[in-house]
Amino acid sequence: MTTIALLGTGLLGHAIGQRLLAQGLTLRVWNRTATRISTLVSAGAIPIEQLSESAQGCDAVITVLKDGPATSDVVHALDDLRGRCLIPMGTMGISQSRDLATFMNSRGGSYLEAPVLGSRPEALNGSLLVMAGSDPDVFKQQQHLLSHVSAQPVLVGPVGSGAATKLALNQLIASMTHAFSLSLRLVQQADVPIETFMEILRPSALYAPTYDKKLKRMLEQHYSDPNFSTALLRKDLMLFLQEAMQSGLNPEGLSGLSTMLVQATAHDLDELDYCSLHELTQSIRP
């Protein structure tokens, strides 16, 4: 039976753990805050007592951690990596991912970056979108494992390409949510009924399903119970900007949005759903 170590059991990591258990895998779990593994342990997961021993007896190590530095700190603390495959599913920078691949190779292990698009509901039903970056042989070896959380995991290229794809997609989340919020504010100011606006938008080439997904939350100012927080969105946008500049691109158009997301901390929006940035596009008052 396949044995997996899962390191990081926040909202997404916990849901991935539930899915792996439901699929019949043997799961060992660790989280920096130990109380966050309790429900997974109650469901049959095996607690990891010492972080350094996480990889022992495991076929693969999946990490779902905040960012690249957090992932690197945890992975560098692991012993017995020879023959193990490290599969980080969190968002991180391109160079950060490549550095982890180099480290795993130096320890006799393999590496497959597998950031995901989707959140808790998609993780629970196995419909996350996985964008893998790895050697094709490593992807083939781990494809069955990935299929437990994704209907069709995609190999997008070598290590670094998965990280780049995930950052590109998360930039769209930020930009599209911001643009939709501004459009809603403007039509409301002009007394255009929101449903009239949506009836025109939905059949057009401008429409994206995320607009309807977040519309009710925005109109009702219901931002609690997030699957993806404003703080995480800001972190990913800042990382995208960093990678874009290092690649010689011109991301100046995003500077206003990044500044706005920094303001979210003062407005206590950080731990709320990312569409709470709608609160920051209200009318500017003297």
Side-chain angles (χ1 to χ4, degrees):
M1 183 179 291
T2 302
T3 300
I4 304 299
L6 174 65
L7 311 181
T9 58
L11 284 173
L12 180 59
H14 190 279
I16 289 173
Q18 288 179 275
R19 175 67 180 179
L20 294 177
L21 285 171
Q23 293 291 292
L25 278 67
T26 299
L27 187 68
R28 303 179 68 224
V29 292
W30 174 89
N31 194 79
R32 196 176 302 277
T33 303
T35 54
R36 292 189 176 182
I37 68 171
S38 58
T39 55
L40 287 174
V41 171
S42 297
I46 303 166
I48 295 170
E49 301 296 340
Q50 297 292 330
L51 175 60
S52 61
E53 300 174 356
S54 298
Q56 293 179 9
C58 292
D59 300 283
V61 177
I62 293 175
T63 62
V64 192
L65 298 163
K66 179 182 177 181
D67 52 25
T71 304
S72 180
D73 287 346
V74 166
V75 172
H76 278 72
L78 305 183
D79 297 329
D80 197 22
L81 290 173
R82 181 168 297 277
R84 321 296 183 199
C85 183
L86 176 65
I87 307 176
M89 290 189 168
T91 305
M92 68 178 73
I94 299 169
S95 60
Q96 293 168 347
S97 186
R98 289 173 176 163
D99 287 345
L100 277 174
T102 300
F103 174 76
M104 284 301 296
N105 291 334
S106 72
R107 292 299 185 91
S110 58
Y111 183 81
L112 187 152
E113 61 182 6
V116 301
L117 188 65
S119 52
R120 179 175 173 79
E122 291 78 18
L124 290 173
N125 64 27
S127 62
L128 290 170
L129 300 178
V130 172
M131 53 217 80
S134 76
D135 179 274
D137 289 339
V138 176
F139 177 75
K140 186 175 181 179
Q141 292 165 8
Q142 301 301 328
Q143 193 167 4
H144 180 67
L145 172 57
L146 297 177
S147 70
H148 289 299
V149 297
S150 175
Q152 192 172 0
V154 176
L155 176 63
V156 297
V159 172
S161 60
T165 302
K166 181 59 164 60
L167 287 174
L169 291 169
N170 279 19
Q171 185 273 133
L172 287 175
I173 294 174
S175 293
M176 291 173 69
T177 304
H178 177 228
F180 184 54
S181 173
L182 279 173
S183 292
L184 287 179
R185 295 288 187 195
L186 185 65
V187 296
Q188 284 179 309
Q189 291 278 9
D191 295 323
V192 177
I194 291 297
E195 190 51 40
T196 299
F197 173 68
M198 294 304 297
E199 286 175 359
I200 296 169
L201 175 61
R202 287 186 185 109
S204 76
L206 304 174
Y207 178 72
T210 189
Y211 298 152
D212 268 312
K213 183 178 180 181
K214 295 300 182 183
L215 178 61
K216 190 171 187 291
R217 275 184 175 265
M218 288 176 165
L219 296 181
E220 296 180 358
Q221 297 178 296
H222 170 58
Y223 309 122
S224 59
D225 304 317
N227 289 316
F228 187 52
S229 69
T230 306
L232 289 176
L233 183 69
R234 179 178 63 249
K235 181 264 296 182
D236 289 352
L237 182 65
M238 295 302 190
L239 190 52
F240 175 90
L241 286 168
Q242 176 183 322
E243 294 287 356
M245 287 186 286
Q246 289 177 353
S247 298
L249 305 178
N250 182 356
E252 288 182 5
L254 293 175
S255 60
L257 178 54
S258 63
T259 299
M260 177 181 292
L261 286 172
V262 169
Q263 296 171 2
T265 302
H267 287 259
D268 297 324
L269 304 179
D270 263 14
E271 301 310 314
L272 301 178
D273 188 89
Y274 67 86
C275 72
S276 64
L277 68 84
H278 186 54
E279 295 302 303
L280 302 177
T281 60
Q282 297 184 69
S283 299
I284 301 173
R285 297 180 178 86

